[in-house]
Amino acid sequence: MATLLPPPKRQKVYHGIPEPETVPIAPSPNIVVQFVSEDDGTPLAPAVNLPANVSREDLQGLVNKLTAKDEDPVPFQFHISLPADAASGRDTSRVVISTSIESDVLSHPSHAFTPEDVFVVHCSPQSVFRVRPATRCSSTLSGHTSPILCASFSPTGRLLATGSGDTTARLWDLGTELPSHTLSGHKGWVLCVEWEAMERKLATGGHDNQVRIWDPKSGKPIGDALKGHSKWVTSLSWEPIHLNVTSPRLASSSKDGTVRVWSISTRRVEYTLGGHTASVNVVRWGGGGLNGKGVLYTASSDRTVRVWDANGGRLLHTLQDHAHWVTTLALNADFVLRTGPFDHTGKRPASDEEAQKRAQERYSALISSTPELLISGSDDHTLFLWSLFPSRTASSESTALAASNGGKLKPLARLTGHQRQVAHVTFSPDGRWAASAAFDNSVRLWEGKTGKFVATLRGHIGAVYRLTWSADSRLLVSASKDTTVKIWDLKTYKLKTDLPGHTDEVYCVDFVADKIVSGGRDRTVKMYVLSLSPT
């Protein structure tokens, strides 16, 4: 007897539409995750077994619980480093976890990870406050009649100073976004403006070889011009407030190959640093040193970086690793040295003693785990990371003095990758990152403590002249020859916001609180404000 087959199952139809076929969803695999510190790679807790689709927010909550920080949660950024072979040829050496390990890491185009791997997740604590990104131009400030060459916010963020080729500097009130004072006196381009960290004085240097000191409240000069340089002034740097709160000194570098340290109270030169054989392009006043009383770092077209004792001007080190002009320097303490006692809370100290104490606390907190670090950038397309005064607890690997090399100072790292001259380098306010801009139209991001390459930020179509960070170290801003100012997303290493508005090259940019300011060849100052919706 023949076997009868059952009739085929009829497809269900609802109002003439066939029932959609259901595709079973594969469960998310379980993975082993090891959370480690971004600072030194030490485990934060024992390895845990988790579903791969746990969200980034849940990972953040888990890390806070594992590290007993659930009473006062700390925001974290997470990333997983790519293997060397998978990272080669890419614009980034790490995968940032923005959604989940499953969507960001297991689905990464490199296919470098499988669910059987142990996922080492680097945890980087973020600021407890957040700066929202600017989205619109709030003001176009006119007044300068020549290109704007430099711009700097005051330590409290209440005032802005700009210097121009029209021989004047200008002060702008950020509350009203209107001009406050015009500072007239220079007889050549104003090339640099620098605020004292207590916001009591402003220094300007120019093409007329002079340094001038101004009272920002009245806009009047404080005394006569400081004369002594025989060529134009290239850079200015004030003595840190935690070292001298009552009458900080000022250092000026010049095309004449010297650096002069001025006593503002006596209007005289305390000493002159004359060891360089070509233009001194940058001077930075550091807050540490062998005795903790401050050092001066100078970079020159003679291809060297020199380090001096700030009390007397004794030469401490000569760094000779660059093969061309050294044009830019940055310290990991630059932000706290620049802002002194003022932090994001906006509290003003009641006395000089309180200001000095608060400035010392901010500086000590920054260098508690890492000593004062220096990055130098050059026309030889490279940068070097230096640790010249390592702390007593620093490991031998972090020590800059190599006995095996005849006592010659060795850099912690050589940072390569740029294809043309390095125009600017700057540390993030928390010292965790360093960013460099170059004439190859790119910005490169590095680990601030090791110099390890992190990512290349591409989007500009002209040379990148200047960089600045938000106070929370989450946003990086660049100014370029291509007439744009760009904000970069450090979670994705992609462009976050494009800020057009300028009609010519943008030479300078600065970031304070929720405002970005830029200036350039079109002779206007553009001010951008934060978005009205939270990020």
Side-chain angles (χ1 to χ4, degrees), residues 3-21:
T3 302
L4 296 177
L5 298 175
K9 187 176 181 180
R10 291 188 303 168
Q11 187 177 24
K12 293 182 180 181
V13 177
Y14 298 90
H15 302 287
I17 301 174
E19 180 185 28
E21 294 184 7

Side-chain angles (χ1 to χ4, degrees), residues 260-283:
R260 291 176 176 259
V261 175
W262 307 86
S263 170
I264 304 304
S265 57
T266 64
R267 319 291 299 176
R268 294 180 180 276
V269 176
E270 282 202 0
Y271 55 84
T272 300
L273 307 178
H276 287 290
T277 58
S279 169
V280 182
N281 302 314
V282 190
V283 59

Side-chain angles (χ1 to χ4, degrees), residues 502-521:
H502 286 286
T503 59
D504 213 327
E505 301 180 28
V506 187
Y507 293 142
C508 52
V509 65
D510 203 2
F511 199 149
V512 66
D514 56 1
K515 292 185 179 181
I516 296 172
V517 67
S518 57
R521 196 171 179 179

Side-chain angles (χ1 to χ4, degrees), residues 146-206:
S146 290
I148 297 164
L149 306 176
C150 51
S152 179
F153 284 113
S154 66
T156 64
R158 295 186 304 106
L159 298 171
L160 168 72
T162 55
S164 169
D166 62 9
T167 76
T168 70
R170 283 179 177 257
L171 291 176
W172 311 84
D173 187 323
L174 298 187
T176 61
E177 298 186 358
L178 293 173
S180 173
H181 299 288
T182 299
L183 312 181
S184 301
H186 283 288
K187 297 179 176 61
W189 300 351
V190 179
L191 301 175
C192 44
V193 294
E194 193 75 17
W195 290 91
E196 182 222 29
M198 287 292 286
E199 203 177 83
R200 297 171 298 198
K201 300 181 182 69
L202 174 72
T204 58

Side-chain angles (χ1 to χ4, degrees), residues 28-144:
S28 178
N30 272 24
I31 57 174
V32 177
V33 176
Q34 175 66 70
F35 295 106
V36 301
S37 169
E38 169 74 13
D39 293 332
D40 52 16
T42 57
L44 297 178
V48 293
N49 194 296
L50 300 171
N53 62 355
V54 171
S55 68
R56 193 200 71 83
E57 290 74 17
D58 289 338
L59 289 176
Q60 181 172 283
L62 177 60
V63 172
N64 275 283
K65 287 185 178 296
L66 291 174
T67 56
K69 294 181 179 178
D70 48 344
E71 293 183 1
D72 187 16
V74 175
F76 282 92
Q77 183 180 8
F78 302 106
H79 79 267
I80 293 177
S81 296
L82 284 169
D85 54 343
S88 61
R90 295 182 179 273
D91 279 347
T92 178
S93 63
R94 57 178 63 182
V95 181
V96 174
I97 301 172
S98 57
T99 305
S100 68
I101 293 177
E102 184 175 42
S103 60
D104 297 320
V105 181
L106 290 176
S107 302
H108 193 265
S110 66
H111 304 295
F113 303 95
T114 68
E116 287 74 30
D117 293 325
V118 175
F119 292 81
V120 179
V121 177
H122 297 263
C123 307
S124 175
Q126 304 290 286
S127 301
V128 294
F129 68 98
R130 177 182 291 273
V131 173
R132 292 185 287 179
T135 55
R136 64 185 179 88
C137 180
S138 65
S139 298
T140 298
L141 308 179
S142 302
H144 283 298

Side-chain angles (χ1 to χ4, degrees), residues 185-192 203-214 224-236 250 252-254 262:
H186 283 288
K187 297 179 176 61
W189 300 351
V190 179
L191 301 175
C192 44
T204 58
H207 217 267
D208 58 1
N209 314 340
Q210 297 178 2
V211 176
R212 290 181 175 269
I213 311 298
W214 309 87
D224 296 329
L226 305 178
K227 300 178 181 179
H229 287 297
S230 59
K231 292 186 178 179
W232 63 81
V233 178
T234 56
S235 176
L236 298 167
L250 178 70
S252 60
S253 63
S254 171
W262 307 86

Side-chain angles (χ1 to χ4, degrees), residues 274-298:
H276 287 290
T277 58
S279 169
V280 182
N281 302 314
V282 190
V283 59
R284 284 282 185 275
W285 204 312
L290 291 173
N291 53 11
K293 295 184 178 180
V295 290
L296 288 165
Y297 304 91
T298 58

Side-chain angles (χ1 to χ4, degrees), residues 290-358:
L290 291 173
N291 53 11
K293 295 184 178 180
V295 290
L296 288 165
Y297 304 91
T298 58
S300 171
S301 293
D302 65 8
R303 302 179 297 177
T304 70
V305 175
R306 291 177 181 250
V307 186
W308 316 78
D309 184 348
N311 294 291
R314 179 171 61 94
L315 179 64
L316 301 176
H317 303 297
T318 301
L319 314 178
Q320 307 180 53
D321 289 65
H322 281 294
H324 211 289
W325 300 345
V326 188
T327 55
T328 179
L329 291 178
L331 296 172
N332 59 346
D334 273 341
F335 181 78
V336 295
L337 295 178
R338 169 186 174 182
T339 53
F342 303 105
D343 58 16
H344 66 280
T345 63
K347 294 181 181 178
R348 182 175 287 275
S351 63
D352 282 356
E353 292 74 18
E354 182 184 343
Q356 187 169 23
K357 179 182 177 182
R358 193 181 298 175

